[in-house]
């Protein structure tokens, strides 16, 4: 009987640790503060931390080419920051975009771009 009690306690502890690990690694989803607006295959979402835009990937598009297109008003962009933000927003690799799928891309302001440099 003592063996079953001890085993049960260990199993419960392991389940709690696995649950905490899953919560920490998966994070929480971004919750928009307002309804998305749809225009020409692009959807803009505003969140408390940053602004993102939803874009449908076409043949030949890369993360950097789309980021440059949606941030065309900025003079300088940090490539590493763009890739890190893309990975954070989409929880996927920036090297495997699927044609025809929608991805979220960071939409920077002039002040955010200056802070990143």
């Amino acid at each position: 009987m003592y063996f079953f009690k001890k085993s049960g306690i260990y199993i419960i502890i392991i389940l709690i640790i696995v649950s905490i690990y899953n919560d920490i690694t998966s994070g929480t989803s971004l919750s928009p503060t307002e309804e998305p607006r749809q225009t020409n295959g692009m959807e803009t979402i505003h969140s408390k931390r940053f602004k993102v835009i939803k874009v449908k990937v076409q043949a030949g598009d890369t993360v950097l080419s789309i980021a440059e297109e949606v941030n065309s008003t900025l003079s300088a962009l940090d490539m590493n920051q763009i890739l890190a933000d893309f990975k954070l927003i989409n929880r996927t690799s920036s090297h495997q975009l699927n044609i025809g799928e929608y991805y979220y891309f960071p939409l920077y302001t002039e002040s955010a771009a200056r802070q990143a440099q």
Side-chain angles (χ1 to χ4, degrees):
M1 189 65 166
Y2 177 73
F3 171 76
F4 291 116
K5 286 182 182 179
K6 195 172 185 179
S7 298
I9 291 173
Y10 282 28
I11 290 172
I12 291 172
I13 290 172
I14 290 172
L15 289 174
I16 290 172
I17 291 171
V18 168
S19 174
I20 291 171
Y21 175 76
N22 284 336
D23 285 344
I24 290 172
T25 57
S26 66
T28 57
S29 62
L30 301 174
S31 59
T33 57
E34 65 182 52
E35 288 297 314
R37 293 176 298 219
Q38 183 93 19
T39 52
N40 298 336
M42 295 185 179
E43 179 180 332
T44 304
I45 298 175
H46 302 278
S47 79
K48 293 180 183 178
R49 261 183 79 196
F50 50 82
K51 192 173 178 184
V52 297
I53 187 165
K54 186 175 180 181
V55 179
K56 185 175 184 180
V57 174
Q58 304 296 324
D61 284 343
T62 65
V63 171
L64 296 176
S65 68
I66 295 172
E68 287 177 354
E69 181 183 325
V70 298
N71 292 291
S72 60
T73 60
L74 299 179
S75 57
L77 295 172
D78 182 14
M79 233 176 24
N80 293 327
Q81 186 66 43
I82 292 170
L83 295 174
D85 290 343
F86 178 84
K87 187 175 181 180
L88 175 71
I89 295 166
N90 293 286
R91 294 190 179 103
T92 187
S93 171
S94 60
H95 302 293
Q96 295 182 345
L97 295 180
N98 296 320
I99 297 170
E101 288 192 23
Y102 287 90
Y103 293 93
Y104 292 99
F105 290 87
L107 189 59
Y108 300 105
T109 61
E110 190 66 42
S111 61
R114 274 183 292 205
Q115 288 176 350
Q117 292 177 350

